[in-house]
Amino acid sequence: MKRAVELSKQGMLNDKGGPFGCVIVKDNQIIAEGYNSVTSTNDPTAHAEVVAIRNACKNLNSFQLDNCIIYTSCEPCPMCLGAIYWARPQKVFYANTRTEAAEIGFDDEFIYKEIPLPLQERQIPFEHLQLEEARAIFELWDNKENKNRY
């Protein structure tokens, strides 16, 4: 956890992004690190956890983090939470809470409130465009025999 906190400071002081760091460990070895680099890369998905997950999966040559532990300097936002669940680590430890993050201007509460709303009531409109071509691709996937499930 101390390394995740060090990374949060390093990234922030080097003007890479916000004060967030993450370390991923497997078999008591750090296999990947990341710090927030949203503003330096102009990538809104470059949160510390996502950066670390990308690095870990590359290093492990796997799209899952089996038997890995994530240490992050702050409770993950909704996007990072989703990425963590898709990566399937064994456990997550975090330092600062989402409430503490909100107190310094990183407030994700509006996203948590948006998720359960009907699509037409969300702040960003979502509209379903039903296309047979798109549905056909799903049918191809469903019938594909050699697919790599995840």
Side-chain angles (χ1 to χ4, degrees), residues 2-22 34-36 73:
K2 287 184 180 182
R3 179 64 182 151
V5 172
E6 287 173 14
L7 287 166
S8 71
K9 183 177 180 181
Q10 177 186 337
M12 178 193 63
L13 293 179
N14 289 323
D15 295 323
K16 299 296 182 183
F20 306 98
C22 183
Y35 50 71
N36 183 292
S73 66

Side-chain angles (χ1 to χ4, degrees), residues 66-86:
D66 296 328
N67 301 311
C68 291
I69 298 175
I70 295 178
Y71 295 88
T72 183
S73 66
C74 187
E75 183 177 356
C77 75
M79 177 185 67
C80 294
L81 184 63
I84 288 167
Y85 270 89
W86 280 115

Side-chain angles (χ1 to χ4, degrees), residues 42-142:
N42 293 318
D43 179 355
T45 69
H47 289 200
E49 297 89 341
V50 172
V51 171
I53 288 169
R54 289 174 180 161
N55 291 336
C57 289
K58 183 178 178 182
N59 292 341
L60 292 173
N61 195 31
S62 174
F63 53 81
Q64 292 185 331
L65 299 178
D66 296 328
N67 301 311
C68 291
I69 298 175
I70 295 178
Y71 295 88
T72 183
S73 66
C74 187
E75 183 177 356
C77 75
M79 177 185 67
C80 294
L81 184 63
I84 288 167
Y85 270 89
W86 280 115
R88 296 178 178 93
Q90 182 179 353
K91 190 168 186 172
V92 177
F93 292 95
Y94 64 92
N96 294 315
T97 68
R98 72 188 210 199
T99 302
E100 291 167 323
E103 290 170 358
I104 62 163
F106 294 94
D107 191 353
D108 300 324
E109 193 59 34
F110 76 98
I111 299 172
Y112 287 103
K113 289 179 180 176
E114 286 280 298
I115 292 170
L117 291 177
L119 296 178
Q120 65 275 8
E121 292 181 26
R122 291 184 179 170
Q123 291 181 28
I124 298 174
F126 282 73
E127 186 174 340
H128 178 220
L129 298 176
Q130 188 170 352
L131 294 174
E132 286 304 315
E133 302 94 283
R135 181 69 186 142
I137 303 301
F138 272 17
E139 290 173 11
L140 280 173
W141 171 261
D142 194 38

Side-chain angles (χ1 to χ4, degrees), residues 28-45:
N28 295 316
Q29 298 281 4
I30 293 176
I31 59 163
E33 299 180 338
Y35 50 71
N36 183 292
S37 56
V38 168
T39 57
S40 62
T41 61
N42 293 318
D43 179 355
T45 69

